[in-house]
Structure formats: C-alpha cells, structure tokens
Amino acid sequence: GNSVTQMEGPVTLSEEAFLTINCTYTATGYPSLFWYVQYPGEGLQLLLKATKADDKGSNKGFEATYRKETTSFHLEKGSVQVSDSAVYFCGLFRGGYNKLIFGAGTRLAVHP
Amino acid sequence: EADIYQTPRYLVIGTGKKITLECSQTMGHDKMYWYQQDPGMELHLIHYSYGVNSTEKGDLSSESTVSRIRTEHFPLTLESARPSHTSQYLCASSSSSGETDTQYFGPGTRLTVL
C-alpha cells in the first residue's frame, strides 16, 4: 500500500545550523510528493512539492528533491532560523488513489 | 482573497452537547476534506466530498457527520460530544482541474470536550 515514513522528532538545532528531515515513501506509480509546515496553533501550509522524479521543490530557503531510486524526498535548509520552529509533514498523492497520505510529522525546535 | 475559513478556532464544551464546526472556502474548489489531528500530531482523514451532495467517510472511523449543500461550505457536526472527541479538526480543499494533487488547509478548530 501507499505510505510515508519520516524521521522522528523532536529535532533540536541552533540558529544557522543545517537542517535535514528524512522522508521515504512507498507507492506504486509516480506520486506527487509534498512538504507541509504547521506553525503553533495553525493549520497546515504547503511548503513545497515535486511531481516527478528528479524534480526539486523549493520555497523560503527549503529544498527537497524527488529521488525515485531511493524513494525519498528529504527536506533540507542551509541555515535555520528560530521562526522555522514548527511541525513538518511529508506527504504523497497518487491520482488513482486520490488521497493525500501524510507521515507522522517531525517537530523542529530552533534555539537562538 | 482566496482562502479557507474555519470557525470557531477554539471551542470548549460539555459532554452531550451538539456542535457544528464550520468550514468555508473561496478557492473555487469542488473537493473538500476533514482531518482529525491527535495530540501526537498524526493526521487522519475522517470525511471528504467531491462535490455538492457527495460525502464519503475517510480512513478513520468518526462519529461525526458532514453535509455538502453548497460548493463552498462543508460543515462537520457532532450530535453528542464526548471527551474522546477532544482534538484538532482541520478542513482542506482541492481542485478537480489543474493542480488536482494539492490540498489547501484552513487554520483548524481546537475542540475540547469536558
């Protein structure tokens, strides 16, 4: 079946550190892949997406590359800020299944 | 401005009360969704609708019900709230043409049942 696995948190970093949040998926065919971010007390916001192999999604300094050979979509940022503290969700969408499947979420805490 | 609205944002209510969580969108989307988010953050799809008069149950069984009488409106109702219903409820919508794979979320309603 379709599933998403992302690294457990919390991830705690100092400001300006490099961030990686791992995400791997299981799916047949060619799903679209997403990262959403949830700030405290808010809903989910689309952070970035990629729709085919080797595509790179990017937004607000965050990047993720769709790697079909490793079934991965790891989120990276070169220099995190305190304002990046949030919960990050990896997700996949398969057209035939027609639903968005989320990982369990990874909480990121960035300290000054 | 195109957006998704949820009201109330916070609700504290006693056991046995009937409640309706409101969700409206001005995105022009025909698909709408309700998710329940537990304290451990995990998201569970509880209801979805692909258009007016179309509603389906999601992956997680829920005692709530939904209706879709207007395209832009997708309310969720609990006939008799219980403490086990305490959770964050998120509404989302997506288009059936163009960017069909992307869901856009409202700010959520945090429900506490005492």
Side-chain angles (χ1 to χ4, degrees), chain A residues 4 6 36 44 89-92 100-104, chain B residues 35 43 103 105:
Chain A
V4 175
Q6 56 183 109
Y36 282 83
L44 273 67
F89 289 91
C90 185
L92 74 82
L100 188 55
I101 297 166
F102 289 102
Chain B
Y35 291 85
L43 292 151
Q103 293 183 14
F105 285 78

Side-chain angles (χ1 to χ4, degrees), chain B:
Chain B
E1 180 182 336
D3 211 340
I4 301 177
Y5 305 91
Q6 289 187 245
T7 57
R9 291 292 313 278
Y10 303 92
L11 180 61
V12 181
I13 201 162
T15 296
K17 299 291 186 183
K18 178 180 178 178
I19 61 167
T20 297
L21 308 185
E22 301 288 348
C23 176
S24 294
Q25 51 97 3
T26 57
M27 310 282 286
H29 290 165
D30 43 8
K31 295 181 180 178
M32 297 188 74
Y33 313 82
W34 276 104
Y35 291 85
Q36 185 174 336
Q37 185 174 28
D38 60 30
M41 303 182 303
E42 198 158 349
L43 292 151
H44 304 283
L45 179 67
I46 53 174
H47 298 285
Y48 61 98
S49 167
Y50 288 163
V52 170
N53 294 327
S54 152
T55 61
E56 301 286 345
K57 291 193 177 295
D59 303 320
L60 179 69
S61 176
S62 173
E63 293 166 350
S64 59
T65 59
V66 292
S67 62
R68 190 90 183 276
I69 298 172
R70 301 196 324 259
T71 301
E72 63 274 18
H73 193 215
F74 192 40
L76 180 146
T77 298
L78 276 166
E79 290 292 334
S80 180
R82 294 207 303 268
S84 60
H85 297 138
T86 294
S87 192
Q88 166 100 322
Y89 292 85
L90 295 169
C91 182
S93 70
S94 67
S95 175
S96 60
S97 62
E99 208 178 32
T100 59
D101 57 358
T102 304
Q103 293 183 14
Y104 295 89
F105 285 78
T109 294
R110 183 166 296 281
L111 172 65
T112 302
V113 184
L114 303 175

